[in-house]
Amino acid sequence: MICPLAQVEEVFKTTHGAVYQCSRKNCYWLEFQQTTTAFKISDFFLLKKRIDALDIARMLADTSRAADFEIIMPHRTDRCFILSVQDILNLREILTGAKFMIELNSEVKKILRKDAVLAI
């Protein structure tokens, strides 16, 4: 659960989870698998890189039981994700959407600043 004192804004949401930005603590909150986990900005992007690097094709082709799940322990959190192929795909969708929205917001702010400077 997100801290009730935090001031959060929704960054991206699907039926499987969401990412929120907390301006008070300067972090992102990931809501996934019925839990909420806080990430520093750099750790959030590291998690996305790790999830993107998982080899779905290998997992599907491997018939051993060990290939059915991936265990991910993000940096500086108490959280451990045990992810099936479907979970990985769902989490990728959430993280990719959130990254896109973060980058889009950054570009919009740059353009607005540039337009404000030109208007003066």
Side-chain angles (χ1 to χ4, degrees), residues 35-114:
T35 61
T36 307
T37 309
F39 290 93
K40 293 180 183 227
I41 295 168
S42 59
D43 295 336
F44 178 79
F45 289 110
L46 275 174
L47 174 65
K48 183 184 179 332
K49 255 186 178 174
R50 288 183 69 193
I51 297 301
D52 288 345
L54 296 175
D55 189 353
I56 299 285
R58 179 199 53 78
M59 288 177 72
L60 292 172
D62 192 337
T63 58
S64 68
R65 290 185 56 102
D68 290 344
F69 295 92
E70 285 287 338
I71 298 173
I72 302 293
M73 297 176 66
H75 296 292
R76 291 181 275 277
T77 68
D78 294 336
R79 181 68 201 268
C80 175
F81 292 98
I82 301 173
L83 304 170
S84 67
V85 170
Q86 188 61 54
D87 293 332
I88 293 168
L89 294 173
N90 293 339
L91 187 53
R92 275 186 186 172
E93 179 184 15
I94 295 165
L95 297 176
T96 300
K99 182 179 182 210
F100 176 80
M101 294 306 290
I102 292 164
E103 290 172 349
L104 178 62
N105 187 39
S106 177
E107 289 300 315
V108 168
K109 284 182 180 180
K110 267 192 233 176
I111 291 168
L112 290 175
R113 269 186 259 127
K114 189 183 295 183

Side-chain angles (χ1 to χ4, degrees), residues 1-2 16-18 20 29-38 79-81:
M1 170 142 191
I2 296 174
H16 302 288
Y20 301 94
W29 289 88
L30 172 64
E31 193 174 84
F32 185 69
Q33 293 180 331
Q34 290 80 41
T35 61
T36 307
T37 309
R79 181 68 201 268
C80 175
F81 292 98

